[in-house]
């Protein structure tokens, strides 16, 4: 097997569409239990905000050297302003459709002693008219990009996912989808789906062994007319299912600190490396290295090209 190298990524152009959120972190010390209820009291010392969901995919793509546009729906509120500012700082070209009836999704995590103690979610679903406007923008943006990523977090931002896949494939653009839920028929015709182990299990049921997994995964790939299916399997690494066979990539040995956002890093790395000229197996192997790096970081995080090169050299 030839030595894996990071390609030149500056010319890669990625279009990310999907559900975004603002990840807020409250960090503090826990020194006592509340007298009101058997819960820890967190004395908050600092807070952080980071782009989450599809916004984290876009941020990961830029950190890997690519040019990235993000198309999404947000509320007309303070969290949307915070997201816009963070995306601008990250170098993402953001196309944010505002929906006054929508509360921008927030995931608030309370961290004590480097452990997540609580997560509080604020969310609702966007108005259909705003989603239809987004589809017109999608058509306009598509010719300027090499690879499309559809990041589905089940928040309603991909109501037209089937049409988006069809339009992109007719234009000759690869479409990578990070799926959600049990109805994978809506992703029919995509180039690649990237479910994790538990997400795939929801759709194809429990498998007995690797041979049974391959049978079920290949049946799903054929049923949905996918070019490939990439299953991220945590400590078991990754498995890529294609018409010409299956490729397994073992996990990278590392201390796992936080898996939140790892799927965003995987699909962003795949998209950037494919746009930079890698084949799918090379892109998978590079994304596996990226995943091994990002799970060692707290919260939604990114991987730099230097970190990736260092991992490859290790």
């Amino acid at each position: 097997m030839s030595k894996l190298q990071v390609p030149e990524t500056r010319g890669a152009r990625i279009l990310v569409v999907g559900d975004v959120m603002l990840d807020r972190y409250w960090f503090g010390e826990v020194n006592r239990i509340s007298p009101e209820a058997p819960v820890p009291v967190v004395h908050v010392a600092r807070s952080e905000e980071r782009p989450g969901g599809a916004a984290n995919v876009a941020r990961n793509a830029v950190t890997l050297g690519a040019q990235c546009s993000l198309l999404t729906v947000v509320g007309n509120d303070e969290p949307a302003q915070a997201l816009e500012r963070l995306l601008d700082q990250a170098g993402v070209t953001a196309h944010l459709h505002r929906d006054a009836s929508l509360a921008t999704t927030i995931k608030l995590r309370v961290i004590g002693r480097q452990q997540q103690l609580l997560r509080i979610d604020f969310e609702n679903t966007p108005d259909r008219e705003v989603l239809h406007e987004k589809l017109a923008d999608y058509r306009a943006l598509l010719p300027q990009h090499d690879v499309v990523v559809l990041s589905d977090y089940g928040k309603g931002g991909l109501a037209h996912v089937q049409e988006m896949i069809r339009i992109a494939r007719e234009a000759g653009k690869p479409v990578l989808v990070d799926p959600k839920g049990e109805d994978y028929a809506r992703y029919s015709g995509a180039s690649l789906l990237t479910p994790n182990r538990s997400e795939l299990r929801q759709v194809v049921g429990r498998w007995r062994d690797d041979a049974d997994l391959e049978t079920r995964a290949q049946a799903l790939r054929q049923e949905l007319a996918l070019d490939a299916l990439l299953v991220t399997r945590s400590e078991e690494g990754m498995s890529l299912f294609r018409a010409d066979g299956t490729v397994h990539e073992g996990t990278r040995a590392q201390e796992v600190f936080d898996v939140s956002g790892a799927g965003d890093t995987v699909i962003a790395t795949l998209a950037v490396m494919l746009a930079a000229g890698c084949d799918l197996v090379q892109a998978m192997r590079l994304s596996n290295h990226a995943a091994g790096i990002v799970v060692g970081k707290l919260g939604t995080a990114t991987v730099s090209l230097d970190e990736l090169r260092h991992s490859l050299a290790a």
Side-chain angles (χ1 to χ4, degrees), residues 233-238 250-259 262 287-297 311:
R233 302 173 64 189
S234 191
E235 74 281 355
E236 295 176 314
M238 297 179 175
T251 189
R252 302 291 304 166
Q254 77 281 304
E255 182 179 356
V256 176
F257 189 75
D258 189 346
V259 298
S287 71
N288 194 43
H289 278 268
I293 297 164
V294 83
V295 295
K297 302 181 180 183
S311 176

Side-chain angles (χ1 to χ4, degrees), residues 49-115:
E49 294 180 334
R50 302 177 192 175
N56 188 43
V57 177
R59 188 172 66 126
N60 268 270
V62 170
T63 306
L64 289 167
Q67 304 163 48
C68 185
S69 299
L70 171 67
L71 180 59
T72 190
V73 181
V74 294
N76 190 14
D77 51 20
E78 179 274 328
Q81 293 171 1
L83 261 176
E84 190 168 29
R85 183 185 70 251
L86 290 167
L87 289 165
D88 183 60
Q89 290 170 356
V92 175
T93 303
H95 301 266
L96 306 180
H97 284 253
R98 308 277 181 161
D99 178 358
S101 68
L102 178 71
T104 302
T105 298
I106 301 171
K107 291 187 177 181
L108 171 61
R109 296 172 174 90
V110 181
I111 314 289
R113 294 180 181 173
Q114 299 299 303
Q115 296 292 321

